[in-house]
Amino acid sequence: MVLVVMAVAFGAPWITVVALKNIAAEVNGERSIPAFAGALVWVGAGLGGIIMGRVAERVGVRWTVIGGAVMIAFGLALSTLGPSLPLYVGHGFFIGLIGIGGINAPSYVYVSRWFDRRRGSALALISSGSFLAGAIWPSIFERVIAYAGWRHTMLFYAAIELVLIVPVAAIVLGAPPDTPRHAAVTGAARAHNSVLGWPANLVFTLQMFAIFTCCVPMSMPQAHLVAFCSDLGISPVHGAAMLSVLLGSAFLSRQVWGALSDRIGGLYTMLVGSACQTATLSAFMFTQDELGLFTVSALFGFGFSGLVPANVLASRELFPVGEAYWRIPTLLLCSGTGMAAGGWIGGILYDHFGYYAPAFATGVGVSAINFMIITALAFRCSQTGQTAPA
């Protein structure tokens, strides 16, 4: 049921992605404005996750999820007042900071406490909620937007958020096996200052850079694929379907990555995923026909989908469980910031050059940096042999 909650919660930002050109048409065609609203969702969700992770430790994840659903609905309603300020506040503060922020990070911590042996698969499954949302909702949104406009689409979806998430959270989300007090004691007892033979904070900083640099290139096709297809003369219906293929592929393959991470660990899964993402993203620069883009989109979805849950799993393998309530939200903040930066930079580069090739080239460069960071961590892990979960 956590997967269902995540799939519904993460549907809200996709309205702006699908309606990017429609919204931009109201502000002289500047795509960076709706792209920035989408970016604010990711930054807000990351910051909110740190705050709400602590709140969930005190009051329980049930209440942060219910409150998050209400705030997402309010943020969608506020965003209908139009670009730029209402769209920014509705997306950044209400949908992101106190909406998804109250659902995403607390859910990762919550689920990680229910599993020991197959934690990687469990984290991969619930983290697939954002991809499942992207696989289901864009094609639906495209049709509703064409019929009723993007404002009414946001209002309709606000009602769906309330009807689906609130009762599920109230009924299903009970207390996890590890109580906050027990987790705190365990963390204090097992605290250590060295990870992989390096200072713990250095390793965690490299993890933060790794998850940021994997998410910058990850977000560029997701945020701009529908508009990119439209520029090439591909219909918006087929562009939305292509986005659904990309995210559907990511959803299905993430279960494969989760099973792999249970066998080889989070760091080595990150290494393989980073190589796949770099290779498949570069293909967007050389593919212009519709069939080719469908193929590249499916491959790209497969390539990047394991990176975020593998990074979260690596944190749980390397650091004590008592530190999960702040380490996992911090990683998700870096992830959200990377997603925000990638989508926004893609819009800025398009506005400057008038086409998307420079944005994709930038993404490939950042993905190469990500591969180098993960290689350093994985090499250090192979040297020290630290693979046991904390």
Side-chain angles (χ1 to χ4, degrees):
M1 296 309 290
V2 174
L3 175 63
V4 173
V5 168
M6 299 276 270
V8 176
F10 275 98
W14 288 110
I15 300 174
T16 303
V17 173
V18 175
L20 188 142
K21 291 184 74 172
N22 305 70
I23 298 172
E26 299 184 14
V27 282
N28 300 318
E30 295 184 26
R31 298 185 188 182
S32 57
I33 290 178
F36 185 57
L40 288 174
V41 172
W42 291 107
V43 175
L47 289 171
I50 295 176
I51 300 168
M52 293 301 178
R54 293 179 179 270
V55 173
E57 286 288 305
R58 294 179 176 271
V59 304
V61 69
R62 172 186 290 141
W63 299 109
T64 63
V65 170
I66 291 174
V70 173
M71 292 300 101
I72 291 172
F74 184 83
L76 287 169
L78 178 61
S79 296
T80 62
L81 299 179
S84 301
L85 185 60
L87 191 70
Y88 290 161
V89 175
H91 276 60
F93 184 76
F94 288 102
I95 297 176
L97 185 71
I98 54 181
I100 294 176
I103 296 173
N104 189 39
S107 295
Y108 274 84
V109 178
Y110 178 77
V111 170
S112 74
R113 288 181 172 171
W114 282 96
F115 294 87
D116 292 320
R117 295 181 60 187
R118 298 189 61 82
R119 184 180 292 138
S121 296
L123 288 171
L125 180 62
I126 66 109
S127 67
S128 298
S130 60
F131 298 151
L132 186 58
I136 294 172
W137 296 115
S139 294
I140 297 173
F141 290 155
E142 193 282 327
R143 287 169 171 79
V144 178
I145 290 167
Y147 175 75
W150 64 269
R151 288 180 170 85
H152 284 92
T153 303
M154 287 186 176
L155 292 176
F156 294 151
Y157 198 73
I160 291 174
E161 289 274 347
L162 297 176
V163 169
L164 294 183
I165 293 181
V166 172
V168 169
I171 295 170
V172 175
L173 299 181
D178 287 329
T179 65
R181 178 173 295 182
H182 175 71
V185 171
T186 302
R190 301 185 61 184
H192 52 280
N193 294 320
S194 178
V195 175
L196 303 178
W198 288 342
N201 287 339
L202 172 61
V203 173
F204 190 64
T205 299
L206 288 174
Q207 268 199 282
M208 292 164 61
F209 276 109
I211 202 167
F212 174 83
T213 53
C214 84
C215 289
V216 168
M218 185 188 300
S219 68
M220 286 182 174
Q222 295 183 57
H224 295 277
L225 185 57
V226 177
F228 176 55
C229 289
S230 179
D231 291 345
L232 296 176
I234 300 171
S235 72
V237 173
H238 290 184
M242 196 177 297
L243 180 60
S244 293
V245 166
L246 186 156
L247 293 159
S249 172
F251 169 70
L252 294 174
S253 62
R254 183 163 274 190
Q255 314 320 306
V256 176
W257 290 109
L260 179 66
S261 66
D262 283 330
R263 295 181 65 87
I264 68 174
L267 281 177
Y268 296 119
T269 303
M270 290 163 60
L271 186 64
V272 177
S274 179
C276 290
Q277 174 172 266
T278 305
T280 53
L281 179 60
S282 63
F284 277 104
M285 294 188 293
F286 307 105
T287 309
Q288 303 259 310
D289 64 283
E290 185 172 341
L291 179 60
L293 282 172
F294 267 108
T295 303
V296 170
S297 296
L299 292 174
F300 181 70
F302 174 85
F304 76 74
S305 63
L307 283 165
V308 171
N311 205 311
V312 172
L313 177 63
S315 178
R316 288 289 284 111
E317 289 174 336
L318 298 173
F319 299 98
V321 64
E323 299 175 3
Y325 78 95
W326 69 268
R327 288 197 187 274
I328 290 177
T330 301
L331 288 176
L332 294 177
L333 168 61
C334 295
S335 171
T337 304
M339 294 292 290
W344 187 33
I345 290 170
I348 290 174
L349 291 175
Y350 177 87
D351 288 343
H352 181 75
F353 291 100
Y355 59 103
Y356 279 113
F360 292 141
T362 301
V364 171
V366 175
S367 192
I369 294 172
N370 172 257
F371 181 78
M372 290 187 286
I373 295 171
I374 299 172
T375 298
L377 287 171
F379 177 76
R380 189 65 182 174
C381 183
S382 69
Q383 293 295 301
T384 60
Q386 182 175 342
T387 58

